[in-house]
Amino acid sequence: MKYFRIISFVEGLSYLIILCVTFGLISRDYVFPLGAGHGALFILYLILSLQASHKQKWSIITWLLIFLASIVPFAFIVVDTFLKREILKDEAAQTNT
């Protein structure tokens, strides 16, 4: 879960960097390496979100919202907050058992 949280944050940042290229804030010379990196992170995000969804027993709606957040700029911050709460909830449940 912690690994998914890290990948989620990095994937969100890479998406913002890609948008900076689109708006001309970063040179278009970097499109291929940035795009390839973002693509790899996106696929990893998708795989890890499915694993986390299965492990945490999230509903399909929760998973869809997590997935859709990967295509909305700055939504990774909301996902990060959600994942942080889930991690804290898991840690609390482990200490109670």
Side-chain angles (χ1 to χ4, degrees), residues 61-96:
I61 301 297
T62 302
W63 178 79
L64 280 172
L65 289 172
I66 295 280
F67 175 72
L68 290 175
S70 69
I71 57 175
V72 177
F74 296 102
F76 69 94
I77 297 168
V78 176
V79 171
D80 185 61
T81 304
F82 173 76
L83 293 175
K84 187 176 183 178
R85 286 184 192 154
E86 289 289 307
I87 290 169
L88 291 174
K89 188 170 35 172
D90 284 349
E91 289 173 353
Q94 288 178 357
T95 58
N96 290 336

Side-chain angles (χ1 to χ4, degrees), residues 3-4 7 39-55 63 67:
Y3 188 61
F4 175 50
I7 293 300
L41 286 168
F42 181 77
I43 290 170
L44 190 56
Y45 178 90
L46 178 61
I47 292 167
L48 292 176
S49 71
L50 287 168
Q51 286 179 342
S53 175
H54 180 70
K55 181 182 174 192
W63 178 79
F67 175 72

Side-chain angles (χ1 to χ4, degrees), residues 7-54:
I7 293 300
S8 171
F9 197 81
V10 174
E11 190 275 337
L13 289 177
S14 74
Y15 185 52
L16 293 179
I17 292 170
I18 291 287
L19 290 177
C20 288
V21 171
T22 303
F23 291 126
L25 301 174
I26 296 176
S27 172
R28 295 197 184 268
D29 296 336
Y30 300 108
V31 168
F32 181 76
L34 291 173
H38 174 69
L41 286 168
F42 181 77
I43 290 170
L44 190 56
Y45 178 90
L46 178 61
I47 292 167
L48 292 176
S49 71
L50 287 168
Q51 286 179 342
S53 175
H54 180 70

